[in-house]
Amino acid sequence: MEEEGTVILTISHLIQRACPITAASYSVPRSPISTSKPHKNPGGNYRHEESFRTCENPTLQTLKPLNYPTFLVGTLALPSFANCNSPIKCSCFQFSDDSATICCDILDFDPKMIGQKIRILTWNFIPLTCGNGGEKDGFLEIISWEVFQACSGDVCSFSDSSSFCLSLGVCDVKNKSKTSSLIFGIVESISPVFVVPCVSGESGSRNISGFLVDVLVCQCKFCVSKFLASELRDLTEEKVKDHSFEKRAIVYFSGLTSSWHPVVSRFISNVIWLTGLKQKLVFITNEESKLMYVTTDEASLHVTKFFKEQGLSRNTNIKGRGEIGSYTGVITAIYMQGMVVELDQDVILLLTDQHLIVPHCVRVGAIVTLENVHFVDPKFPWAEMLILGACCRTSMYVESFSPLETRGHLKSHSQTLLQKFINSLPFAARLWALLVVSCFRKKFAGILPEKVILGSKHKEGLAQEYASSHLPPSAFQFRHGVLVEFCRHDSCSVGKEEHYFHLRLVLPIANLISYCEISWKKILVNRENFSDFVGDINQKKPLSCGGRSYVQSIRRVLRTEEIGILVLGTLKTSIYSGRLQLVDATGGVDIMLDLPATWNFDKIFEAKDFTLIMEGVPPDLVDSDSTICQPLSCQSIFSTAQPLRTMKISIYLYHCSTDDSRSHSLFFDGKGDLLELDRGKFHLLMLTHKYPIQQRFQGDRAKRSNMFAQAIVLHWDLLVAGKDKDAVRNMVSAGHWKDLLENFTRQENHLTHKRCKTEQALVEVSNCGLNDSGDVLNCQFSGSCCADRNLYTGQTCISNQLLELPCLVASKGVNSHCLATLCCTIEQAKIVSGCVLPRRKVLLEFSPDSFCMYEVLRIGRCYLVQHKEEDILCYPVGRLKVFITSSTKLWCLTFSSMESLQGSDVSDGLQYCNIPTNSDGKISKGYRQLEIPCLTGNAIDNEIYTDVSVFVPSSALNLLETVIGKLDGGSLESKDSFEEESDIHDLGGSMVNASTQSSGNPWADYTLPEGNLITLRGLVVALHDCSCEAFPAQPMPIPGESYLPFLRGTGGVCVHVLVDNKIVRVFCDLNKQTYPVGLVGDVCATFHRVLVLTQQKKYMMTPVSFITIDDTSLINGHTDEFNYAHETVVKLSNTSQSTVPPVLISDALQLSDLKPMQFRCRVVALYILVVQKAKATAVSRSCGCSILSGVEIPLAGFIMDDGSSSCCCWADSERAAALLGLESEEILLEESAETSGRSKAGKGQQYNSTVSHLDKILEQHGRVVAKNYGSMFDSSFQDLALSVGSGRSISSSEQDLLRSLTTKAFLSASWTIVGSLMHPEASRWLEQQLTELDMAVPSLPNVWAASVNRTDVLAEARNTIQWLM
Amino acid sequence: MQGSIMDALYNTHVKLLAFDFLSLSPNPSCPTDPSSFCRKGTPLSRAESVGVIVTRELKPGKFLRFIIDDGTGCIPCVLWLNQLTSPYFSKRNPSGVRLIAQLASKFAAQIQLGVVVRVRGKITGYRGMVQITVSDVVLERDPNAQVLHWLDCIRLARKCYDKYSKNGV
């Protein structure tokens, strides 16, 4: 074997070189050597070949071979634990030559090599750095070896050529040994080497290292007899089989024998016998002792080769509940400093245990076998996996060294608080906690110091704090030392594993996005496979708008609850898009969320129950190779690689409001932030408008202009007195305040009688919510709160003639109520007389650092702002501007009735809640919550994030409602004039300048469009990208006249909104980044201050327009696709038809009148079809002919059949296109008059392909006529004669296309057609048309179709069954 | 008027439930016409049915026989697939025949066991049994379609077919 020129290397040379290499005593081929040896996997899980293929990592290199033959010569020795100061902290074999000693591992281990001088023929060297000083060290992986120089060691009387003996000195086994000194059995498990502090009389205290071995022994008569030793001398394989190894015995190898650990661990499942033992009672704790065999100085270990693999039957009945078994697999990754090892890509081995000794050769690429490892199936909803939990009984050895240049991991021996915490958990929870730690490190890298995230030896880190808050107390177990745990192994985390499936995976945001992208692809791929049967769900029909068709995006929705994930992060407003985002160090994702006004944006937000919405245009071809990557695998969390966003789909989170407060928990919020109102005076503001964020893309991105919002200052101030528990109790209990009210209203009645009729009307309005007395409330309290009022007399800005309402104030998160007074700043008489109160508008200006506050404010809500000295809010001057900084506090406010508090003990900690409850938990009677003036229309928000609740007498609620309503002036419905906007121009000059500068004022040639600004609220049906050409402000856009200047050059978005059962279109000139997240089909949205465009049901967003999304509408449709809008549209279309009576065709024949009727029928055949090229300039609204992508259908007759009879249905261009399957449903709902402009083929869709082919044919021939000379009652017997206007012949492919076009008509399902029998004039026109084409008028009833819709099957079935009953 | 309605009905695809359909008898007035059948004296030639495909027997290039179960009975159907080879079609426009053949094979692919289909076609007789010789097939994806078909059948029978049959008899 040895070749000439073979170099003998020294270990010190290798250590100094510090290069990972592989070498052999013969010339190594260039290709990497194979190091694997055939072996079997007891668990049946041996999958390394497959795993290797899939885990190929291009960055991993194979070990570089030395290019010359070489070998090492040295002695193999056992480790030494006798000296506990030894730097060796592992139980590896030691290989030493003259130069140095290093750890090593041997592939084909033979115990006889111990103590021998051996020559190593093939080996790998892996450099290590250890110790704090980073001393160089290394590790030798011995693949093949031979004895270099046999040295005659101690002779054992038992040893022969086939057996092995290991002893401390001379092995002298007497034939008649005491049975207590000899043990014969199978090694079941072995503990790591551990150290026990011992106190001995003479030498003082010292530490004794040792390890425990569990041996199964036999109880037969030979084994218990004193002749066992002589019996063992003649042991044969046959004889071993006669024994039954069942009884468990623990052998404690202590002192010098502790260095036998690497040898004994090689013999797990093998038959051994040990002599020179002593039975001793060992105290494992202060109270508990256990009888063990302890090694003496005479101890010897005997192994007979015969009995190798005489193992125990393992891996039976493994269900993944912590059972013990063995496993062999390839290491595919190592994470968290070696605490987590990934085997075969989906098995996770946890090596967190402090005492575990992990061989250095545990490197990526190695094949390892684990003995006595716990099998745990965590049943996490987010990923399928198997956890292998290593405990003190687990041993691990390498079956094949890694051929890859990967490094081993040295475990740190100091344990942090976090590690202790992790080790105290059961395996499933342990893995989850490790994932949390890994995720937190990624999430907050650079945001928080590592020490804060991970904690230190004495302080809990953020990750630990979070993890422990999600685990039940029962999850934590006190950990003992190895001695106790080995002896009491039954308590080792078994049986508790199944309780942790609720633990959700905390995802970094980058991973969340990657998960969405992969799910999106998967959905598309899966759907594509199904599309043959259920139709192509991935593709919505193209949306038709303005004579063009647009590809519609599709939406897919996932519930994070179902996926089992959650996301943490901080909330921020993106400086690019101005949208609210959940952000961590890995990225950000848009989020739709309703926050309280007092939200602290520095807090970490935990989004628990939210909906993940993905929206985009499905690609024509779906790239299906995405299945390899598992976005929710442990790998994706542990690995440092950060997934990148690759797809252009919109992904955002929608937070579902639920009762569970944890679902939107502010993690780590503590109780620091009290939202309580201080004593003092507060002004009430009602937000009426928010001006959108002005982008400065051309300039410095980081620099942003200020933000603006508009509010009305209400004529009420809140004077908060303070917490006087007795006063509060008095006020609420027994209607004390009612008496005061009655006193007051009695006086008021006197006044009221004098008022005029109009005032009476108001009185009645106010009356409707009053208590029994029915008295009008115009409270002017002087009694109840006078003590408190005196406090404020100095600050009050208005005269003494004030309206005052006593009230109680409850703040969120504060358990007690405060007394307060609502004080009207206008004279009482003005309110009661119902005169129009002056609006005090105020412009709120937000500095860039208070953008977050701007973000949380909602139009239509009331807010409190604390009064400051010389506050301009006190002076009723025309226009006010208030500068809001980050230090300004705003509280969102709602009014509730005080009666709701009755019956509950207010002062003793009535909890703040939106719906006050009685002590028995039922909702209090008489509780009403004043809907804050409904700027948002019918405010649907069922969970208003109110910061402050003001309880006023229920009768006063009415007054407030009236007064505030009046102040609001119904600005929602009414059209605000441009005057409204001049505010912003005057006051916020910077905004105007900003937009003008950024675009270089390109609109100088155009006059601005004029019109009213209104607020629209409706259901978004669809939206599509659009260019200015397709959305003219005027019927015929002419430059120089009024036009949409904002649209020049850039595309926009056209939003179809269902408002009052009519579809209107709103054009947003903004690019997609500036309209709010979540503005998609099927949501309710409010478009504030949009410009009305010349009565065409068209509106336009202006730079002051603002869109708000009514979140709640999304909750209903969370399954797969929101169909709400579609359903509404269908319902709408049906309601419009419902006015027309449905009839059978046979009945219609008997009717002579020409009233519109409704038929439900199917197309049987085509009678005639004329298709021609649309005129380029035609805007043919008046004749009811729409232009469909350059195709016009001037004449079309279809034979229809409803089961009772047949008729011929004549339709205009648009209806005919629908019957031919050319049109999308959407266009049917729109008025034909809305189509305009030139038509072009849209983007690639099947629909378009037919149309574009047709376009081409018409381009060539101008006009095509198809006449049916065959059967009118059987589609398969119709005989179409095709003729063209050009006079040229039609090619066969053109013929095929035209014929197939007609077949679509009779292959569609049922149509609901509203039409009437043709009146004589129309009949004459028809006859004339047909005569020109050499056709006769069919001898069937001729019906002119006024509308064509697909049948709503369910509604029809309902109607029919009603008719039948 | 009555007569014209009767004539119209003859060319209409009548919606009949299977039990009703199976009770159709050959039209005694025109015994030579293989697709003329009578329901209570009313001559009919075409029918429409909706149901689940329960059997399917394909002779490639020739025909597909299948049975539709509409919940009240089973209607045997045949879909011809021999348009390109049959002399019957040789006189017709080749482009038209090609299209019909293409459609027929598309229908045949759609007709799979368990799917709900709506078929229309001629009423014909085969070995003493009444069947539908299918002209067109539409897959029904809406589960309510079957219910609506039942209701339509009942309504039409009451309001239309029975009404004229009495007078016709």
Side-chain angles (χ1 to χ4, degrees), chain A residues 1160 1163 1201 1203 1274 1296 1299, chain B residues 13 93 95 120 135 152 161:
Chain A
R1160 181 156 49 77
V1163 177
D1201 174 345
D1274 196 330
D1296 287 354
R1299 283 176 203 281
Chain B
H13 291 91
N93 181 309
S95 164
R120 283 190 303 198
S135 312
D152 275 345
Y161 312 147

Side-chain angles (χ1 to χ4, degrees), chain A residues 531-535 1144 1146-1147 1149-1150 1160 1162-1164 1201-1206 1271 1273-1280 1292 1295-1296 1299-1300 1302-1303 1306-1309 1351 1353-1354 1356-1358 1360-1361 1363-1364, chain B residues 1 5 8-9 11-15 46 48 88-89 92-93 95-96 98-100 103 106-107 115 118 120 122 135-142 144-145 147-148 151-152 154-156 158-161 163-164:
Chain A
S531 60
D532 279 348
F533 181 61
V534 292
L1144 291 173
S1146 59
D1147 293 345
L1149 289 175
Q1150 296 165 336
R1160 181 156 49 77
R1162 290 182 65 200
V1163 177
V1164 182
D1201 174 345
D1202 72 347
S1204 73
S1205 191
S1206 309
S1271 168
F1273 306 108
D1274 196 330
S1275 55
S1276 56
F1277 284 88
Q1278 62 178 19
D1279 187 6
L1280 286 187
S1292 79
Q1295 281 198 32
D1296 287 354
R1299 283 176 203 281
S1300 70
T1302 62
T1303 58
F1306 59 81
L1307 288 184
S1308 65
T1351 301
V1353 177
L1354 183 63
E1356 280 295 321
R1358 281 190 186 133
T1360 313
I1361 206 159
W1363 182 88
L1364 287 170
Chain B
M1 189 71 184
I5 290 172
L9 204 55
N11 281 323
T12 302
H13 291 91
V14 290
K15 295 182 185 179
R46 290 165 214 282
E48 176 170 336
Y88 186 72
F89 289 92
R92 290 176 57 178
N93 181 309
S95 164
R98 240 187 347 259
L99 184 71
I100 294 166
L103 277 176
K106 186 189 162 195
F107 296 151
V115 301
R118 179 183 295 273
R120 283 190 303 198
K122 270 188 178 175
S135 312
D136 57 64
V137 178
V138 176
L139 274 188
E140 281 294 354
R141 292 181 181 116
D142 189 338
N144 299 309
V147 178
L148 182 58
L151 296 168
D152 275 345
I154 298 167
R155 184 174 68 145
L156 284 163
R158 277 197 209 166
K159 209 178 168 189
C160 185
Y161 312 147
K163 203 160 123 189
Y164 303 126

Side-chain angles (χ1 to χ4, degrees), chain A residues 449-513:
Chain A
E450 186 97 326
K451 224 175 179 182
V452 173
I453 304 167
L454 301 180
S456 59
K457 277 196 173 179
H458 308 292
K459 197 174 179 297
E460 277 190 1
L462 207 62
Q464 182 178 349
E465 208 180 310
Y466 178 81
S468 54
S469 74
H470 281 69
L471 290 166
S474 62
F476 305 97
Q477 299 157 322
F478 179 74
R479 296 299 303 266
H480 301 274
V482 177
L483 189 64
V484 179
E485 291 203 346
F486 193 86
C487 295
R488 289 189 202 157
H489 189 242
D490 293 344
S491 64
C492 177
S493 66
V494 182
K496 289 182 178 175
E497 297 296 347
E498 53 200 297
H499 304 305
Y500 302 103
F501 52 83
H502 65 276
L503 293 173
R504 297 213 206 155
L505 181 66
V506 184
L507 271 185
I509 286 169
N511 293 58
L512 179 81
I513 287 168

Side-chain angles (χ1 to χ4, degrees), chain A residues 41 63 345 582 609 864 1070 1158 1189:
Chain A
N41 178 23
L63 283 168
Q345 295 206 307
L582 186 67
D609 291 332
L864 286 173
L1070 319 156
Q1158 198 188 116
S1189 302

Side-chain angles (χ1 to χ4, degrees), chain A residues 152-217:
Chain A
S152 55
D154 307 320
V155 180
C156 168
S157 56
F158 274 82
S159 296
D160 55 22
S161 60
S162 63
S163 66
F164 161 72
C165 167
L166 187 66
S167 61
L168 294 173
V170 179
C171 173
D172 180 22
V173 183
K174 295 176 184 77
N175 277 343
K176 287 185 185 177
S177 305
K178 275 186 192 170
T179 51
S180 63
S181 72
L182 192 148
I183 197 165
F184 167 60
I186 295 175
V187 178
E188 200 200 39
S189 55
I190 179 169
S191 81
V193 177
F194 59 92
V195 174
V196 181
C198 272
V199 183
S200 67
E202 293 169 13
S203 57
S205 69
R206 67 189 179 97
N207 294 336
I208 296 180
S209 57
F211 65 95
L212 297 171
V213 176
D214 217 348
V215 182
L216 290 175
V217 295

Side-chain angles (χ1 to χ4, degrees), chain A residues 842-1101:
Chain A
V842 59
L843 193 71
L844 307 176
E845 185 172 355
F846 299 82
S847 61
D849 62 340
S850 56
F851 278 163
C852 296
M853 196 164 292
Y854 165 87
E855 185 60 43
V856 296
L857 296 184
R858 293 280 174 270
I859 296 176
R861 289 197 191 156
C862 271
Y863 293 91
L864 286 173
V865 60
Q866 188 148 28
H867 169 82
K868 283 180 257 166
E869 270 192 40
E870 295 187 10
D871 198 332
I872 52 163
L873 292 174
C874 297
Y875 304 106
V877 244
R879 284 169 182 164
L880 308 172
K881 187 163 90 170
V882 175
F883 198 71
I884 307 277
T885 61
S886 53
S887 61
T888 315
K889 267 194 172 178
L890 292 171
W891 291 265
C892 185
L893 167 88
T894 48
F895 292 106
S896 307
S897 84
M898 206 183 276
E899 284 90 335
S900 62
L901 291 175
Q902 279 181 304
S904 50
D905 195 348
V906 178
S907 54
D908 286 350
L910 176 94
Q911 297 240 337
Y912 167 82
C913 52
N914 276 342
I915 300 174
T917 52
N918 285 325
S919 51
D920 59 357
K922 288 177 185 165
I923 294 172
S924 312
K925 277 184 185 173
Y927 169 75
R928 285 197 314 130
Q929 194 166 345
L930 169 61
E931 296 281 341
I932 296 298
C934 302
L935 259 192
T936 51
N938 33 1
I940 304 174
D941 285 0
N942 52 6
E943 189 181 355
I944 299 169
Y945 281 79
T946 314
D947 304 304
V948 172
S949 218
V950 176
F951 294 91
V952 292
S954 71
S955 44
L957 268 183
N958 279 23
L959 180 78
L960 284 168
E961 212 166 335
T962 316
V963 169
I964 293 173
K966 197 170 289 177
L967 278 170
D968 178 34
S971 67
L972 173 70
E973 302 302 336
S974 73
K975 296 172 180 180
D976 283 4
S977 68
F978 246 116
E979 179 265 332
E980 191 81 54
E981 299 332 304
S982 59
D983 294 356
I984 191 88
H985 289 206
D986 292 351
L987 291 163
S990 64
M991 282 182 72
V992 175
N993 291 340
S995 47
T996 324
Q997 281 161 6
S998 64
S999 48
N1001 195 9
W1003 322 310
D1005 301 339
Y1006 298 95
T1007 55
L1008 282 164
E1010 286 180 12
N1012 291 320
L1013 291 177
I1014 67 159
T1015 295
L1016 279 175
R1017 187 170 185 281
L1019 181 73
V1020 176
V1021 177
L1023 68 169
H1024 59 85
D1025 289 338
C1026 180
S1027 65
C1028 55
E1029 293 160 27
F1031 201 90
Q1034 307 299 335
M1036 297 299 280
I1038 303 158
E1041 289 184 16
S1042 176
Y1043 195 54
L1044 304 188
F1046 311 106
L1047 309 182
R1048 269 209 339 171
T1050 57
V1053 177
C1054 175
V1055 188
H1056 294 224
V1057 191
L1058 189 65
V1059 183
D1060 295 335
N1061 290 345
K1062 279 182 190 125
I1063 302 269
V1064 301
R1065 284 183 280 165
V1066 183
F1067 193 87
C1068 308
D1069 64 310
L1070 319 156
N1071 58 42
K1072 278 207 171 194
Q1073 285 184 316
T1074 48
Y1075 63 67
V1077 58
L1079 182 71
V1080 290
D1082 310 287
V1083 301
C1084 283
T1086 307
F1087 297 81
H1088 300 272
R1089 301 192 183 174
V1090 287
L1091 184 66
V1092 185
L1093 294 178
T1094 56
Q1095 308 302 320
Q1096 291 175 51
K1097 284 197 260 174
K1098 286 180 186 174
Y1099 302 90
M1100 199 189 89
M1101 297 282 290

